Amino acid sequence: MAPPEGMSPLEYLTAIEAIKQLKARYFYGYDHKDWAFWRDQVWAPDGRLEVPEMGQDIAPREAMIEWVIERSMKQVSVHHGHTPIIEITSPTTATGIWAMEDRIYRDRDHPDYKDAARILGFGHYRERYVKLDIGWRILSTRLTRLRTIYERVF
Amino acid sequence: MAPPEGMSPLEYLTAIEAIKQLKARYFYGYDHKDWAFWRDQVWAPDGRLEVPEMGQDIAPREAMIEWVIERSMKQVSVHHGHTPIIEITSPTTATGIWAMEDRIYRDRDHPDYKDAARILGFGHYRERYVKLDIGWRILSTRLTRLRTIYERVF
Amino acid sequence: MAPPEGMSPLEYLTAIEAIKQLKARYFYGYDHKDWAFWRDQVWAPDGRLEVPEMGQDIAPREAMIEWVIERSMKQVSVHHGHTPIIEITSPTTATGIWAMEDRIYRDRDHPDYKDAARILGFGHYRERYVKLDIGWRILSTRLTRLRTIYERVF
């Protein structure tokens, strides 16, 4: 890990902290279901979300957010991110890998409630970031899981 | 996120790291039940703790710590904090939002053991910080939870 | 927390971020079972791993990694680290305390499967780091747990 060409060590550290807070807003907006915040403060216009285990690969931002909202209705979600490995590849581009844990608690009237009232997952996000005029935004994220536990209703 | 008036980018990043380590000491002191450390290394003298779901809003520091100690007797606690959104509002003031997860394991002779031997919670701290001569300290924290799971004895 | 003699504030912050990403590689390499990466990108040649509750204290690196691989066969592991308290003690040495949570899911043909198919632990790493020519590496880590939950097969 080192600054790319055209960035000072101070600009490099500033970019890393900005990307950490960007991902913090991702989690905050998602779990508070604050979709206007999530759209404007987190994603680049051509943002892409990939979840291979669900066969999902959606872009751009508007279609992707619609899909997330649809899936997130009638559930409480908890997403936590850990120990990012962030690489600044140029003054306006970067990549990151985040360890993650997520928990989904579905409402009783959720269409998939009987299949899994609670889901507990552990995995990693692999992401690309871009610096726009308004600041760093997520360009793409790809979520894979090491383990997923589905708990049915008992 | 940007430095406030009167702070250089380097002072700004230094303050953010100091506040992250401050909150790290909060968790370390609490879960090790090291109350002298928790008092001296974490809290401002007029520190305030709010837990709306418990109807609690306690200050200053001495009364608040007494309440925490009383509640924490005879239990093992695990508190983890994640992905802070920290805003430095002046060279001596700041705010932060932390995602959190906590687990409480009560001893069998804890007065509330039969109601909930284990508690698992997910939520957020919303905090204010102040820089004193001795360094950054927590001025107030307000804990809300997205979800709390109480497990009774079986 | 402050820079040691011989380090500027900027070098100090750079070292802290480097150590955070070092520990991030520790978790990434372990949970992906990428032992070549784990060896080369994480550990100093005389690296030491202590787990007092298991009676383990192993060094140097090669013997220690062999022991970890042996134990990690036939299991999925999830290790997460939180809120580090990092102290830079000289331009080439540092210490750190990390809160941690780990989960082990053993395969059915793991020799210890019947004793505990799943293990959930919470504790702390206490570590020493060294800066070599190739960058910061872990010199020693000592893992203690506040609580460990063993779930047998039902």
Side-chain angles (χ1 to χ4, degrees):
Chain A
M1 46 165 287
E5 276 216 17
M7 276 186 117
S8 71
L10 182 56
E11 290 168 332
Y12 168 73
L13 288 181
T14 300
I16 287 179
E17 177 60 24
I19 289 169
K20 289 180 183 175
Q21 298 215 15
L22 167 61
K23 189 65 179 175
R25 294 195 304 271
Y26 170 99
F27 292 120
Y28 183 89
Y30 194 131
D31 289 343
H32 284 86
K33 310 281 183 282
D34 186 344
W35 304 118
F37 174 90
W38 208 59
R39 177 191 185 284
D40 295 337
Q41 302 293 322
V42 175
W43 289 96
D46 41 357
R48 172 179 296 270
L49 172 64
E50 286 180 73
V51 190
E53 71 187 19
M54 299 175 64
Q56 289 296 337
D57 181 2
I58 316 184
R61 178 174 65 184
E62 310 308 326
M64 182 267 294
I65 292 179
E66 200 170 309
W67 181 79
V68 170
I69 294 175
E70 170 73 24
R71 283 191 52 78
S72 302
M73 280 169 39
K74 302 182 178 176
Q75 66 186 28
V76 171
S77 64
V78 179
H79 293 81
H80 288 161
H82 311 305
T83 50
I85 300 174
I86 293 170
E87 194 173 344
I88 310 294
T89 48
S90 85
T92 57
T93 57
T95 63
I97 302 175
W98 290 77
M100 66 83 69
E101 170 175 337
D102 63 349
R103 287 163 192 270
I104 307 298
Y105 299 94
R106 287 179 175 146
D107 282 356
R108 279 183 184 278
D109 56 351
H110 190 287
D112 296 331
Y113 177 77
K114 283 189 180 169
D115 292 325
R118 304 171 217 164
I119 304 170
L120 168 61
F122 304 96
H124 293 82
Y125 297 96
R126 284 170 181 80
E127 307 193 312
R128 288 185 302 140
Y129 311 102
V130 61
K131 190 176 185 187
L132 307 176
D133 288 345
I134 52 172
W136 288 93
R137 293 293 185 271
I138 299 177
L139 190 61
S140 69
T141 190
R142 182 169 178 275
L143 173 59
T144 57
R145 289 191 178 83
L146 295 169
R147 189 89 178 187
T148 308
I149 293 130
Y150 300 92
E151 291 181 285
R152 302 194 56 173
V153 190
F154 2 75
Chain B
M1 47 165 287
E5 276 217 17
M7 277 187 118
S8 72
L10 182 56
E11 290 167 333
Y12 169 73
L13 288 181
T14 299
I16 287 179
E17 177 59 25
I19 288 169
K20 289 180 184 175
Q21 297 215 14
L22 166 61
K23 190 63 180 175
R25 295 195 304 270
Y26 170 98
F27 292 121
Y28 184 88
Y30 194 131
D31 289 343
H32 285 86
K33 310 282 182 282
D34 187 344
W35 305 118
F37 174 90
W38 207 59
R39 177 191 184 283
D40 295 337
Q41 301 293 322
V42 176
W43 288 97
D46 41 357
R48 173 180 295 271
L49 172 64
E50 286 181 74
V51 190
E53 71 186 20
M54 299 175 64
Q56 289 296 338
D57 181 2
I58 317 184
R61 177 175 64 184
E62 310 307 326
M64 183 268 292
I65 292 179
E66 200 169 310
W67 181 79
V68 170
I69 294 175
E70 170 71 25
R71 282 191 52 77
S72 302
M73 279 169 40
K74 302 182 177 175
Q75 66 186 27
V76 172
S77 64
V78 179
H79 293 81
H80 288 161
H82 311 304
T83 51
I85 299 174
I86 293 171
E87 195 173 343
I88 310 293
T89 48
S90 85
T92 58
T93 58
T95 63
I97 302 175
W98 290 77
M100 66 84 68
E101 171 175 338
D102 63 349
R103 288 163 191 270
I104 307 298
Y105 299 94
R106 287 177 175 147
D107 283 356
R108 280 183 183 280
D109 56 350
H110 189 288
D112 296 332
Y113 177 78
K114 284 190 180 168
D115 292 326
R118 304 171 217 165
I119 305 170
L120 168 61
F122 304 96
H124 294 82
Y125 297 97
R126 284 172 181 79
E127 308 195 312
R128 288 185 303 139
Y129 311 101
V130 61
K131 190 176 184 187
L132 307 175
D133 288 345
I134 52 172
W136 287 93
R137 292 293 185 271
I138 299 177
L139 190 60
S140 69
T141 189
R142 183 170 179 275
L143 174 59
T144 57
R145 287 190 180 85
L146 294 169
R147 189 89 177 190
T148 309
I149 293 130
Y150 300 92
E151 291 181 284
R152 303 195 56 174
V153 190
F154 3 74
Chain C
M1 45 166 288
E5 276 216 16
M7 275 187 119
S8 71
L10 182 56
E11 289 167 333
Y12 168 73
L13 288 181
T14 299
I16 287 179
E17 178 60 25
I19 288 169
K20 288 180 184 175
Q21 297 215 16
L22 166 61
K23 189 65 179 174
R25 294 195 303 269
Y26 170 98
F27 292 121
Y28 184 88
Y30 195 130
D31 289 342
H32 284 86
K33 310 283 182 280
D34 186 345
W35 304 117
F37 174 91
W38 208 59
R39 177 190 184 284
D40 295 337
Q41 301 294 321
V42 176
W43 289 97
D46 42 356
R48 172 179 297 270
L49 173 64
E50 287 181 72
V51 190
E53 70 187 18
M54 299 175 63
Q56 288 298 337
D57 181 2
I58 317 184
R61 179 175 63 183
E62 311 307 327
M64 183 267 292
I65 292 179
E66 200 171 310
W67 181 78
V68 170
I69 294 175
E70 169 72 25
R71 281 190 53 76
S72 303
M73 279 168 41
K74 302 182 180 176
Q75 66 185 27
V76 171
S77 65
V78 179
H79 293 81
H80 289 161
H82 311 305
T83 51
I85 300 174
I86 293 170
E87 194 172 344
I88 310 293
T89 49
S90 85
T92 57
T93 57
T95 63
I97 302 175
W98 289 77
M100 65 84 69
E101 172 175 337
D102 63 350
R103 287 163 192 271
I104 307 297
Y105 299 95
R106 287 177 176 149
D107 283 356
R108 279 185 185 278
D109 55 351
H110 189 287
D112 296 332
Y113 177 77
K114 283 189 181 169
D115 292 326
R118 303 172 218 163
I119 304 171
L120 168 61
F122 304 96
H124 294 82
Y125 296 97
R126 283 170 182 80
E127 308 194 313
R128 288 185 302 138
Y129 311 101
V130 61
K131 190 176 184 186
L132 307 176
D133 288 345
I134 52 172
W136 287 93
R137 292 293 184 271
I138 300 177
L139 190 61
S140 69
T141 189
R142 182 170 178 275
L143 174 58
T144 57
R145 287 191 179 83
L146 295 169
R147 189 87 178 189
T148 308
I149 293 128
Y150 300 91
E151 291 181 284
R152 302 196 54 174
V153 190
F154 2 76

